[in-house]
Every structure is written in structure tokens, then in C-alpha cells.
């Protein structure tokens, strides 16, 4: 076994590190606006809005033309391929709109989850084949980071060794290709909340998955200072009979990260995983308020938990754009407060703050 290898050249290291640190700057996190055409269609159906390209453009325009104050709490936006090339009504490309606000554009690069043959309904994520070419193009077109989601399920016999290993290696290969093209890879190994497992089981599975991911990243010589982790918070299964407090969730989550995530990683940007907007903010707050060693920034990369109230207030109408934008400002500010462990539960009242956002076996 050879131990000779190279990290990226110093100037690339500096660029990747600068981008990663800017994304997790104090009080800031990520707006995940990378829903696929099918997924945004489901969100639109809830507000009786037709899923057309122009409606998708109008909705993303609402998000990206929100008052500049949004950049106090949003450092980066994950885009879907279509959105990256769309423009505002006045012809300004969305990428330019974001950069003018000092918000970093990012791009979802995976091509979705496919079944893992021989497993108990597990999957792996596809999209590596032409990833190098796509990353080079996305960097040229204004993106500075990327996201790739892998999914693991908790069951009696899952996640299997096969699924843990395969997904860890896919994430490492993705991360390596991103860095070669100057993109900071957000590594997302999501342990789904589906099931009736308790908090202890969720913590142990999360630890096992993250340990495998960081072993794979090390094997592939990924430069950790130029990466971010997007994990699930450690919560009990959606149908678990026992209810756990935010403090319980915080302890399980921070302990799992302490045991598996190297201090070289600049930050952890949690996914919301079907929690309500309020639950996600309260849990993020508890995680940051939890005492103990936390060498990484602990922030958010929320999709549904930043947009549920926005959609509900907007309703697909031109005259309610401002109402939608106000919801985004409110919830982004609440999550910015949670970054510091200063959010007061219930202080951010949104149009859909308590609305159930869980989707079984969720795919983007």
C-alpha cells in the first residue's frame, strides 16, 4: 500500500478553503433551491400553481430578488441546472443577481438515486460519468460549489455494508472531481428519517455512515479544508413512539459528529429532512447551544424548511411576491440566530412554520 500522493496545488487549496469558509461564515447558511422539475411540481401543486418553466423562473426570481438583507443570513444558494441559466424579468441572469448580493451560487450535480441490485430496497447515486466535464462548465458559468446527495435507509437489516461502502466511495469520487475543477464539494450522506427506530439507533447508524464517508474521502485524497458536510441531524424515526427533546437531538448529533468528522472540515450544513420550519430551526439552535467541542461551524442548508412559508404566502401570484420574500427574510434570520444558539423558540411565526413537511422516501 503506497502512501505517496498529492493534495491540490497551494493556489487551488486557498481558493477552495476561501469558498468553503465564506459559505459557513458566522450567522450564515445555504438556501437549497435545487428541487428538480418533478419535485417543484409537487410544491406548486400544494399552492394550486401550474408547473411551467416560467412559473419556476418566477418563483426562483422571488427568492433571488429578496431584499439585500437576506445576504446577512444566506451565504450560498444551491441551484438546479435549469435555474442556473434562467434570467430575471429585466434580463439579468440569476447568477449575477446572487453575486451582486454577495451570495455564492452552487449547483446540484448528481443525477438521482438508482436501485442497488441485491440490496433490500437500497440505492446509490448516479452521475459520475460526465461529471468532470459538467463541473468545468459550471465553474465557467459562475458556480463555486456543488452538491451531491446519497441516501441511506434505516431498517432491520439496513443500511447494509454494501450500501454504506458504495455511497461513501461515490461521494469521495464526486468530491475529488469537484475539487479538480475548483468547486467546493458539499458531501451529503443523508440517513433518512423514515421508520420507527429510536434516537440511539439513528445515532449509531449516522456514526457508522460518517466514519465510512471520511475514510473514503481520505482514501481519495480529498482536501478536507475545501469541503463541507451536509448530514442529517440525528433524530428518531418519523414513526417512533417516543418523542425526544431538542436537547436530546443536539446531544446525539454533536456526539456523532465529534466521533467521526475531522476538525479540518470547515463546516457542517445540516439538511432539514422533512422537519417543520420551526423544528429545524429549534434543533439547529439546540445543536449550537450544546456544550462541548465543536471545531466546525454548524449551520443550515435547508430547502423545504426555508421555503414552506414562502410558497404558502406567494400562492403563485404576482401581487404576493413581497409577502413571500418577507417569509424568506424572517426564516433566514431565525436560522442565523440559531447559528449562534440565540433563537427563541416560537419567535418566528411563518405562514407554514408548523406545517408537516415530511415526505416518505424523499427524492429531490
Amino acid at each position: 500500500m503506497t502512501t505517496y500522493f498529492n493534495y491540490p496545488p497551494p493556489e487551488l487549496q486557498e481558493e477552495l478553503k476561501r469558498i468553503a469558509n465564506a459559505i459557513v461564515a458566522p450567522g450564515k447558511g445555504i438556501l437549497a433551491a435545487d428541487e428538480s422539475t418533478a419535485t417543484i411540481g409537487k410544491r406548486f401543486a400544494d399552492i394550486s400553481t401550474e408547473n411551467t418553466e416560467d412559473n419556476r423562473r418566477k418563483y426562483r426570481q422571488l427568492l433571488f430578488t429578496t431584499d439585500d438583507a437576506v445576504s446577512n443570513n444566506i451565504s450560498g444558494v444551491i441551484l438546479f441546472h435549469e435555474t442556473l441559466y434562467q434570467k430575471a424579468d429585466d434580463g439579468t441572469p440569476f447568477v449575477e443577481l446572487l453575486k451582486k448580493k454577495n451570495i455564492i451560487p452552487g449547483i446540484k450535480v448528481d443525477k438521482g438515486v438508482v436501485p442497488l441490485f441485491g440490496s433490500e430496497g437500497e440505492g446509490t447515486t448516479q452521475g459520475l460519468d460526465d461529471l468532470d466535464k459538467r463541473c468545468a462548465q459550471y465553474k465557467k458559468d459562475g458556480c463555486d460549489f456543488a452538491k451531491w446527495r446519497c441516501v441511506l435507509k434505516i431498517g432491520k437489516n439496513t443500511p447494509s455494508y454494501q450500501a454504506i461502502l458504495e455511497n461513501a466511495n461515490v461521494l469521495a469520487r464526486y468530491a475529488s472531481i469537484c475539487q479538480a475543477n475548483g468547486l467546493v464539494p458539499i458531501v451529503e450522506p443523508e440517513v433518512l428519517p423514515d421508520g420507527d427506530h429510536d434516537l440511539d439507533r439513528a445515532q449509531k447508524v449516522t456514526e457508522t455512515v460518517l466514519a465510512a464517508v471520511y475514510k473514503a474521502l481520505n482514501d481519495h485524497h480529498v482536501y478536507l479544508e475545501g469541503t463541507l458536510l451536509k448530514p442529517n441531524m440525528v433524530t428518531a424515526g418519523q414513526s417512533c413512539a417516543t418523542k425526544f427533546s431538542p436537547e436530546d437531538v443536539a446531544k446525539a448529533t454533536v456526539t456523532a459528529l465529534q466521533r467521526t468528522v475531522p476538525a479540518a472540515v470547515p463546516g457542517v450544513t445540516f439538511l432539514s429532512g422533512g422537519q417543520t420550519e420551526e423544528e429545524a430551526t429549534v434543533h439547529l439552535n439546540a445543536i449550537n447551544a450544546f456544550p462541548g467541542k465543536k471545531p466546525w461551524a454548524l449551520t443550515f442548508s435547508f430547502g423545504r424548511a426555508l421555503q414552506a412559508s414562502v410558497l404558502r404566502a406567494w400562492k403563485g401570484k404576482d401581487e404576493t411576491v413581497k409577502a413571500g420574500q418577507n417569509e424568506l427574510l424572517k426564516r433566514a434570520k431565525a436560522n442565523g440566530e440559531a447559528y449562534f444558539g440565540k433563537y427563541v423558540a416560537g419567535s418566528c411565526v411563518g405562514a407554514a412554520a408548523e406545517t408537516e413537511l415530511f415526505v416518505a422516501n424523499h427524492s429531490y
Side-chain angles (χ1 to χ4, degrees):
M1 180 178 170
T2 178
T3 49
Y4 178 82
F5 58 87
N6 295 306
Y7 283 119
E11 57 282 7
L12 180 53
Q13 286 189 27
E14 279 312 305
E15 184 187 6
L16 293 167
K17 193 198 278 189
R18 176 185 59 75
I19 296 163
N21 281 296
I23 292 170
V24 295
K28 298 188 182 190
I30 297 169
L31 166 63
D34 59 329
E35 299 88 357
S36 65
T37 305
T39 301
I40 200 76
K42 291 173 196 163
R43 308 271 188 275
F44 282 2
D46 288 343
I47 56 165
S48 307
T49 298
E50 200 186 342
N51 185 15
T52 63
E53 184 181 350
D54 199 50
N55 279 340
R56 293 192 296 274
R57 185 193 65 80
K58 279 182 177 171
Y59 174 59
R60 266 64 183 249
Q61 176 176 260
L62 175 159
L63 298 174
F64 308 156
T65 56
T66 296
D67 187 274
D68 287 356
V70 77
S71 65
N72 293 334
N73 304 112
I74 302 291
S75 55
V77 172
I78 309 171
L79 304 166
F80 184 62
H81 179 87
E82 174 186 85
T83 318
L84 175 61
Y85 299 103
Q86 286 177 326
K87 295 174 179 168
D89 291 341
D90 65 2
T92 310
F94 282 165
V95 167
E96 274 182 42
L97 276 183
L98 293 170
K99 288 191 170 181
K100 276 182 193 155
K101 288 189 192 306
N102 207 20
I103 293 174
I104 302 167
I107 183 77
K108 166 181 148 155
V109 295
D110 72 71
K111 291 187 174 177
V113 176
V114 290
L116 199 51
F117 184 71
S119 71
E120 278 191 24
E122 295 179 286
T124 184
T125 305
Q126 61 186 350
L128 286 178
D129 276 6
D130 59 348
L131 184 59
D132 186 63
K133 197 169 78 184
R134 290 189 293 126
C135 283
Q137 189 64 48
Y138 288 141
K139 181 72 176 180
K140 213 160 72 180
D141 295 337
C143 294
D144 274 332
F145 70 97
K147 190 206 84 167
W148 178 292
R149 176 178 181 253
C150 281
V151 177
L152 295 120
K153 300 174 184 179
I154 299 183
K156 182 169 166 284
N157 304 312
T158 60
S160 63
Y161 182 69
Q162 176 198 12
I164 291 169
L165 216 58
E166 160 62 14
N167 282 289
N169 279 313
V170 162
L171 282 167
R173 189 74 194 103
Y174 141 77
S176 166
I177 294 166
C178 281
Q179 290 194 332
N181 287 286
L183 295 176
V184 165
I186 293 186
V187 174
E188 181 178 3
E190 179 178 5
V191 178
L192 289 175
D194 307 50
D196 60 1
H197 52 274
D198 64 10
L199 193 63
D200 180 66
R201 172 98 169 109
Q203 182 184 330
K204 285 170 179 164
V205 169
T206 300
E207 285 179 17
T208 305
V209 166
L210 290 178
V213 166
Y214 281 100
K215 173 69 170 81
L217 290 171
N218 181 274
D219 288 344
H220 285 255
H221 315 310
V222 171
Y223 174 64
L224 293 182
E225 291 84 348
T227 67
L228 295 168
L229 176 68
K230 179 171 177 171
N232 51 285
M233 296 178 188
V234 178
T235 59
Q238 199 66 24
S239 38
C240 177
T242 312
K243 294 298 164 217
F244 295 88
S245 71
E247 291 69 33
D248 293 332
V249 167
K251 184 182 181 190
T253 302
V254 174
T255 303
L257 296 176
Q258 285 171 337
R259 290 172 176 169
T260 54
V261 182
V265 176
V268 175
T269 63
F270 291 103
L271 58 92
S272 51
Q275 299 177 71
T276 68
E277 288 183 338
E278 181 67 6
E279 278 171 350
T281 305
V282 166
H283 281 152
L284 179 63
N285 190 74
I287 286 165
N288 276 298
F290 183 78
K293 286 183 187 169
K294 291 173 286 189
W296 347 259
L298 298 167
T299 189
F300 58 93
S301 176
F302 294 167
R304 285 168 286 172
L306 267 173
Q307 296 180 62
S309 289
V310 179
L311 284 159
R312 189 69 60 86
W314 173 52
K315 301 187 187 79
K317 299 184 178 124
D318 292 345
E319 61 270 24
T320 44
V321 163
K322 198 88 191 123
Q325 292 175 331
N326 287 339
E327 292 291 347
L328 178 61
L329 282 167
K330 276 195 310 195
R331 188 50 67 179
K333 184 170 180 284
N335 287 312
E337 289 166 359
Y339 183 115
F340 298 111
K342 300 260 170 73
Y343 177 69
V344 177
S347 61
C348 179
V349 181
E354 304 287 350
T355 302
E356 179 62 59
L357 302 176
F358 174 68
V359 179
N361 202 15
H362 182 56
S363 64
Y364 281 88

